[in-house]
Amino acid sequence: MQEVLTDMKTEIEEVLNALNIKPVNPAGSTGLVDFKGSGKEIASYSPVDGNLIASVGSCGADDYETVIVKAQEGFKVWRTWTAPARGEVVRQIGDALREKKDPLGKLVSYEMGKSLQEGLGEVQEMIDICDFAVGLSRQLYGLTMHSERPLHRMYEQYHPMGVVGIISAFNFPVAVWSWNTMLAWVCGDTCVWKPSEKAPISAVACQNIIKEVFEKNNVPEGVSGLVHGDYTVGEMMTNDKRVPLVSATGSIRMGKKVAVAVGARLGKTLLELGGNNAVIITENADLNISIVGALFGAVGTCGQRCTSTRRLIIHESVYDEVKNSLAKAYGQLRIGNPLDQNNHVGPLIDKQAVEAYLNALEQVKAEGGNIVVEGGVLEGEGYESGCYVKPAIAEAKNSFQIVQNETFAPILYLLKYSDIDEAIGLQNGVVQGLSSAIMTTDLRQAELFLSYAGSDCGIANVNIGTSGAEIGGAFGGEKETGGGRESGSDAWKVYMRRQTNTINYSTELPLAQGIKFDL
């Protein structure tokens, strides 16, 4: 085991060198200009082995002011570039990410604790959104409509909004930033990013990658800004009138604070908050794919995805079969170093998350739930960080307080139902509304689930799980998930301001309501 750890240490050093990150890096970045944060040092420790990766200086008020002013100045120039020219820069960023996919994916895996396959997959999402944004740069369409006034033309167009603030969470330390940033950039906005203080080094790596592309293309200073820190840095951003749009990913509690602060100044928000996602397994389901979908949805990223499956709503006729099959599958899970591709499940992000996981297990028992697969914290060789836990399964009721709340950990609650209307009612019976799924071979059940009387979530799937989404579709949810949409489809419109234009090419000026002046 010691030899394996030594090899990993050497590999991580090579990863940091490939991404131009020093073992201790005191600098933040504005994209083209580095600054030394004046606030307290943020040390990033890997949940994989508990070792220090690197440190960054957090952002003080003066540092924040420097970044915002540069973003404003950069916007004045960046918005004058044609959209295809901005798209060309994003295309080159996609190529740069392809070159750095392996080291960046490993860093994401090591810093956040997700499996290497998922780390590499997250970087692939960044590459995919770059490709999407390049095409979008030639498709920022408006509308032309007929005017009711003769010899007049009306149309709508979209303009860049300005400085976009992005607050991202630890579980996707790079992908969610890119979903926002690549679209905002082709739209002509500049971006200031506050990454999670639990995963700051992956953010530095991204800045280092794009910095080289920016320099080659003479991109204006300030187009990309990075501000490290805790919630106080986020508060600077949400209260700043110079930031017309704040995109925030995180908990419902955090999102409500962001919405109040930005709303008080009549700014705009794009919120992607908590999920309490359910899969309905009907009596007509293909149980083979149902078990696989539920398993990955519940334990993937150690239950730390906003789309992780939290609740399994199972028809009474197949309930015992599904429960027993899942219990057997959980017994075969391999938990350990996520950079070892033989393992299925890595660690939770930190010991605070471990405590929340343990508290949730105690609460479900206190509310009368039955533990089907026992949880617990793993100890011993390979688990020295104290962040490795066993995925757990519990039989519960939807009315349990702990089931109503999202626990960011691998705990799956089993619920039983007798008819499809009851199942949909259970699925919708939470305050969150992100992702949902139904497993069925019955066309009527599938269509009902997707209808106005079905799932109330932003994402509703048939015969695939709740976890995972393609960048071509807009991503986000309803209710207390926030209502925002990121990534594909027409999500680009949120990063722009809409304008209606009327052109009079006649020699007269017809007035509204037929009013006339005798002049």
Side-chain angles (χ1 to χ4, degrees), residues 324-351:
N324 294 333
S325 296
L326 273 174
K328 182 179 179 180
Y330 269 53
Q332 299 172 10
L333 291 174
R334 291 187 295 272
I335 307 167
N337 186 336
L339 276 76
D340 182 346
Q341 298 191 51
N342 292 313
N343 292 325
H344 301 116
V345 183
L348 290 172
I349 186 65
D350 56 24
K351 291 182 180 179

Side-chain angles (χ1 to χ4, degrees), residues 275-276 303 310 353 356-358 360-361 402 405-411 413:
N276 195 346
R310 310 289 178 199
Y357 156 86
L358 293 173
L361 290 176
I402 190 60
N405 294 321
E406 178 187 40
T407 302
F408 231 50
I411 302 174
Y413 301 114

Side-chain angles (χ1 to χ4, degrees), residues 55-104:
S55 298
V56 296
S58 62
C59 182
D62 290 342
D63 301 320
Y64 174 82
E65 186 66 19
T66 297
V67 175
I68 291 296
V69 169
K70 289 185 181 297
Q72 285 185 296
E73 294 172 349
F75 172 63
K76 294 176 183 177
V77 180
W78 185 237
R79 67 185 178 184
T80 68
W81 286 39
T82 66
R86 297 190 295 257
E88 169 59 19
V89 174
V90 171
R91 185 194 67 78
Q92 292 179 35
I93 291 172
D95 287 345
L97 287 168
R98 286 179 172 87
E99 294 176 5
K100 299 291 186 180
K101 179 179 177 179
D102 186 64
L104 183 56

Side-chain angles (χ1 to χ4, degrees), residues 273-465:
L273 310 175
N276 195 346
N277 316 296
V279 176
I280 298 172
I281 298 181
T282 72
E283 71 275 26
N284 302 302
D286 181 328
L287 294 188
N288 289 327
I289 65 171
S290 298
I291 297 301
V292 172
L295 181 66
F296 175 72
V299 308
T301 324
C302 201
Q304 296 173 111
R305 291 184 176 213
C306 50
T307 55
S308 290
T309 304
R310 310 289 178 199
R311 299 172 296 141
L312 211 56
I313 303 169
I314 311 166
H315 190 268
E316 58 189 7
S317 66
V318 295
Y319 182 87
D320 288 338
E321 183 178 357
V322 171
K323 180 177 73 172
N324 294 333
S325 296
L326 273 174
K328 182 179 179 180
Y330 269 53
Q332 299 172 10
L333 291 174
R334 291 187 295 272
I335 307 167
N337 186 336
L339 276 76
D340 182 346
Q341 298 191 51
N342 292 313
N343 292 325
H344 301 116
V345 183
L348 290 172
I349 186 65
D350 56 24
K351 291 182 180 179
Q352 183 180 359
V354 173
E355 183 178 354
Y357 156 86
L358 293 173
N359 289 340
L361 290 176
E362 289 301 316
Q363 188 172 341
V364 72
K365 287 187 284 187
E367 293 192 63
N370 174 53
I371 302 299
V372 176
V373 175
E374 290 285 346
V377 181
L378 295 169
E379 299 176 342
E381 189 176 21
Y383 304 125
E384 290 84 358
S385 70
C387 297
Y388 290 88
V389 301
K390 300 176 184 177
I393 300 176
E395 293 178 295
K397 294 182 179 179
N398 212 49
S399 58
F400 287 1
Q401 189 62 43
I402 190 60
V403 176
Q404 288 288 309
N405 294 321
E406 178 187 40
T407 302
F408 231 50
I411 302 174
L412 180 64
Y413 301 114
L414 306 186
L415 314 174
K416 187 185 293 186
Y417 81 94
S418 57
D419 66 70
I420 190 64
D421 290 330
E422 179 189 4
I424 293 174
L426 291 170
Q427 140 67 37
N428 294 342
V430 293
V431 299
Q432 307 88 348
L434 179 54
S435 187
S436 59
I438 189 170
M439 297 293 186
T440 184
T441 56
D442 186 302
L443 178 63
R444 290 177 176 175
Q445 290 179 330
E447 290 294 339
L448 177 64
F449 182 73
L450 300 179
S451 76
Y452 60 86
S455 169
D456 62 3
C457 294
I459 299 169
N461 298 326
V462 176
N463 292 330
I464 63 172

Side-chain angles (χ1 to χ4, degrees), residues 14 58-59 106 156 206 215 225 232 244 282 341 347 355 394 397 404 489 513:
E14 292 174 352
S58 62
C59 182
K106 288 178 179 177
E156 293 178 350
C206 290
E215 288 175 340
T232 59
T282 72
Q341 298 191 51
E355 183 178 354
K397 294 182 179 179
Q404 288 288 309
S489 185
Q513 289 82 46

